[in-house]
Amino acid sequence: MSKIKIAIISVIILIGIYFTYNYFAGTSDDEAYLTSKVTKGTFINEVFISGEAQSTSSIQINGPSNAMRFGLYNIKIQDLVPEGTTIKKGDYIGKLDMSELNGKILDAQLNLEKAESKYTQQQLDTTLTLKQERNSMKDLLFDIEENKLEFKQSQYEAPGIIRQLEIKIEKLERDLKEKTEDYSIKKNQANAKMIEVGTEVSKIKKQIADLQDLQKNFTIHSEHEGMVTYVKEWNGTKKKVGSTISPWEPAIASLPDLTKMESKTYSNEVDIRKINKGLTVKVGFDAFPEIEIDGVVTEVANVGETRAGSDIKLFQVLIKLNGSNKNIRPGMTTANKILIKKVDDVLMIPLEAIFSKDSISYTYVKSGLSIEKKQVELGLSNNETIIINKGLEENDLVYLNKPENLEDKSITPLKK
């Protein structure tokens, strides 16, 4: 074989080795780095927050409204139907503990017995006292008649004796007059005392009647139809057997209107800046993943609040549901997707593909067998993707992590 042929074959082998090496080396590099294509489509920026379904219209079921009048302030719940029970008008809902109330009824009955005994005693005393007074008046009348008869028979007696009889009759008549006036006063006093003790008896009887009426209200029945939902206490737990109600918080349950529902949720300080009234929402339900209802933001709190067990400030957001579903119940956990922004026909890449240096944003773009650093003009972003206004084309391949040894490579600026 001639030297020329050997040289040609050697060159061909070297070229093959070079391209083979570069091919496998390039394949190895591509496999070492994560890449993504620039895509064109619809950009959607959404805030995802969970909440709780509640009715915007409900009928409240309260305990007795006048319990405080009888010194009953914290009444325990003794029995309740299961939450979610569908009831009709007049149906039983629950029962309150009547032990303290029964004690007050017993005390009132004992007081009534004492008052009635006092009334009877006063009645007897009055009868006896007035009888004695009437007898005294009768005795005076007899004395007057007797002395007048004696006076008639003493016409021929000495003037001194006649005068003594006149004086005696005058004194007896004066005593009778005073006794009559005293009798009238004592009778009025006795009547007033009888009215006093009688009023006390009537007062206690009315108290017992009112307590017995209140006792009936300790068994709770519904005045409307609906589904029973128990109200929450200050700590977020729902009313249950053993919970208490008070005159200041008399509510036990509510009958929500299931056709008027909303999602009550809380947003963090970062997302609340994006949320405004009127934004559309897709409301899902953890219990029924197949159900999704359109909604709209109706209220955004201006002031944050600290929830129990957390120091983070949260802002209440209310979302009205524009539809209803028979499976939805108050208290269910909702998954809310609030649409912040939607832009059609834009170029997008993952956020990880964006790098920056000296306030210049750029990407690593595959260009043939090499990698180029290109400046890009950025648009809106969400938690995953960002809009590219300038600098890239659809289907460009960008790197999601920095390729090695390209840190000092110059950045290709945007075309003006």
Side-chain angles (χ1 to χ4, degrees):
M1 187 176 297
S2 67
K3 291 182 179 180
I4 295 174
K5 288 183 178 180
I6 293 172
I8 292 171
I9 292 170
S10 299
V11 169
I12 292 171
I13 292 172
L14 288 172
I15 291 172
I17 292 172
Y18 173 78
F19 280 106
T20 301
Y21 172 79
N22 278 283
Y23 173 78
F24 285 107
T27 303
S28 176
D29 286 343
D30 287 344
E31 290 177 353
Y33 298 105
L34 297 174
T35 58
S36 176
K37 282 186 177 182
V38 177
T39 59
K40 179 176 281 190
T42 300
F43 170 83
I44 296 177
N45 187 10
E46 294 175 315
V47 170
F48 298 85
I49 47 177
S50 61
E52 182 178 310
Q54 63 180 22
S55 175
T56 58
S57 176
S58 62
I59 298 169
Q60 192 163 282
I61 299 171
N62 296 328
S65 59
N66 60 338
M68 184 170 63
R69 174 184 159 200
F70 301 99
L72 299 171
Y73 297 99
N74 290 296
I75 307 170
K76 279 192 175 183
I77 298 173
Q78 192 176 65
D79 184 45
L80 289 173
V81 298
E83 186 172 40
T85 300
T86 301
I87 58 173
K88 296 180 180 179
K89 184 177 180 179
D91 282 356
Y92 171 84
I93 293 177
K95 190 175 183 181
L96 304 177
D97 183 9
M98 291 190 284
S99 56
E100 188 176 0
L101 175 60
N102 289 338
K104 289 187 178 293
I105 292 175
L106 181 59
D107 290 342
Q109 288 172 338
L110 292 173
N111 289 337
L112 178 61
E113 289 178 9
K114 292 177 183 178
E116 287 178 333
S117 176
K118 186 177 179 181
Y119 181 84
T120 302
Q121 186 63 46
Q122 183 63 38
Q123 198 172 37
L124 292 173
D125 291 345
T126 299
T127 302
L128 181 60
T129 300
L130 295 180
K131 183 179 179 181
Q132 290 173 344
E133 290 297 320
R134 286 194 297 270
N135 289 335
S136 297
M137 290 165 63
K138 286 179 182 179
D139 291 341
L140 284 172
L141 285 170
F142 289 142
D143 287 345
I144 291 171
E145 288 179 9
E146 186 179 4
N147 279 276
K148 282 183 177 181
L149 181 61
E150 186 179 350
F151 176 77
K152 286 180 180 181
Q153 295 174 350
S154 65
Q155 294 297 319
Y156 304 103
E157 296 288 340
I161 294 175
I162 294 173
R163 183 56 186 158
Q164 285 179 349
L165 287 173
E166 287 177 345
I167 293 172
K168 188 174 183 182
I169 291 171
E170 289 174 1
K171 183 176 181 300
L172 288 171
E173 286 178 341
R174 188 172 61 250
D175 289 345
L176 177 61
K177 184 180 178 182
E178 290 178 356
K179 188 62 87 172
T180 303
E181 290 174 352
D182 288 347
Y183 176 80
S184 179
I185 293 171
K186 287 182 179 180
K187 185 178 180 181
N188 290 336
Q189 288 177 335
N191 288 337
K193 193 66 177 176
M194 287 298 298
I195 291 172
E196 181 183 340
V197 294
T199 301
E200 183 65 17
V201 169
S202 299
K203 180 181 175 182
I204 297 173
K205 282 183 176 179
K206 187 177 185 309
Q207 182 186 19
I208 291 173
D210 290 344
L211 285 167
Q212 288 172 339
D213 286 340
L214 179 64
Q215 193 177 44
K216 295 174 186 175
N217 294 331
F218 270 50
T219 301
I220 312 297
H221 292 88
S222 176
E223 296 181 0
H224 304 83
E225 62 179 28
M227 178 180 292
V228 177
T229 301
Y230 293 114
V231 301
K232 289 185 177 180
E233 302 196 70
W234 63 270
N235 58 2
T237 61
K238 290 193 173 184
K239 294 284 187 185
K240 59 182 182 298
V241 174
S243 298
T244 60
I245 62 169
S246 69
W248 303 278
E249 294 182 346
I252 297 173
S254 63
L255 301 177
D257 185 344
L258 300 181
T259 64
K260 299 176 181 177
M261 300 290 288
E262 68 180 2
S263 174
K264 180 180 179 181
T265 184
Y266 291 88
S267 172
N268 59 43
E269 295 179 71
V270 175
D271 288 337
I272 199 65
R273 294 177 295 178
K274 308 173 187 176
I275 301 173
N276 298 301
K277 288 175 65 175
L279 292 178
T280 59
V281 187
K282 292 290 184 182
V283 182
F285 300 85
D286 290 359
F288 299 98
E290 70 281 5
I291 297 176
E292 188 174 72
I293 297 177
D294 291 334
V296 61
V297 176
T298 57
E299 187 177 318
V300 181
N302 292 321
V303 179
E305 57 185 273
T306 303
R307 306 287 289 170
S310 174
D311 294 330
I312 300 173
K313 288 285 186 181
L314 297 174
F315 296 78
Q316 181 178 282
V317 178
L318 296 180
I319 300 166
K320 177 188 174 184
L321 274 62
N322 293 330
S324 61
N325 187 288
K326 64 180 182 180
N327 294 313
I328 298 173
R329 300 288 183 268
M332 284 185 173
T333 302
T334 60
N336 307 294
K337 293 187 293 184
I338 303 175
L339 181 61
I340 305 300
K341 191 74 175 178
K342 182 179 180 181
V343 186
D344 293 323
D345 198 31
V346 290
L347 296 176
M348 297 171 288
I349 61 173
L351 280 174
E352 295 89 342
I354 299 297
F355 304 93
S356 63
K357 182 178 182 181
D358 298 331
S359 74
I360 296 175
S361 297
Y362 65 91
T363 61
Y364 290 95
V365 185
K366 190 172 180 61
S367 178
L369 297 177
S370 64
I371 299 173
E372 188 176 355
K373 290 170 71 174
K374 285 188 174 183
Q375 182 182 358
V376 289
E377 182 183 298
L378 304 177
L380 297 173
S381 66
N382 56 27
N383 292 332
E384 297 178 352
T385 60
I386 188 167
I387 295 175
I388 302 298
N389 293 331
K390 290 182 182 179
L392 295 176
E393 301 291 336
E394 186 178 4
N395 293 322
D396 280 351
L397 195 66
V398 295
Y399 287 79
L400 304 185
N401 48 355
K402 284 186 177 182
E404 293 181 358
N405 304 320
L406 294 178
E407 186 68 31
D408 297 328
K409 188 178 178 69
S410 62
I411 300 172
T412 304
L414 290 170
K415 295 179 180 179
K416 295 184 180 180

